[in-house]
């Protein structure tokens, strides 16, 4: 068995940081926007809490899809995010 010369720890730590950032971003967005959804739609917390759950679910489920199609999906994700931002006229009003 060959010794890895320490590079495996760099990969491990960088993947942990990336996962912490992605999940932290999702939880941060959920906590900020939940109040805005309550005000906008006049709903209580139980009616808008599914939005945050759906965000985390899409993040976790999409990993398997991206894993199997990683060479093709990157350009489609960029195009979809650009189209989503361009199609939403109220994108800047949330901040």
């Amino acid at each position: 068995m060959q010794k890895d010369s320490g590079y495996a720890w760099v990969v491990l730590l960088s993947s942990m940081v990336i996962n912490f950032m992605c999940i932290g971003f999702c939880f941060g967005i959920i906590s900020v926007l939940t109040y805005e959804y309550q005000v906008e739609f006049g709903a209580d917390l139980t009616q808008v809490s599914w939005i945050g759950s759906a965000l985390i679910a899409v993040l976790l489920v999409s990993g398997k899809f991206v894993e199997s199609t990683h060479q093709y999906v990157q350009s489609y994700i960029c195009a979809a995010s650009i189209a989503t931002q361009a199609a939403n006229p109220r994108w800047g009003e949330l901040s």
Side-chain angles (χ1 to χ4, degrees), residues 27-87:
F27 283 128
I29 290 294
I30 291 168
S31 64
V32 170
L33 292 182
T34 299
Y35 175 73
E36 295 294 329
Y37 290 142
Q38 287 176 311
V39 171
E40 179 73 25
F41 298 115
D44 61 346
L45 183 61
T46 58
Q47 292 175 326
V48 296
S49 63
W50 65 269
I51 299 170
S53 299
L55 177 64
I56 297 295
V58 167
L59 174 72
L60 294 175
V61 170
S62 65
K64 275 307 212 184
F65 174 72
V66 172
E67 177 185 344
S68 62
T69 60
H70 68 279
Q71 57 186 337
Y72 304 110
V73 94
Q74 200 168 29
S75 60
Y76 293 124
I77 290 174
C78 291
S81 65
I82 291 170
T84 303
Q85 291 177 7

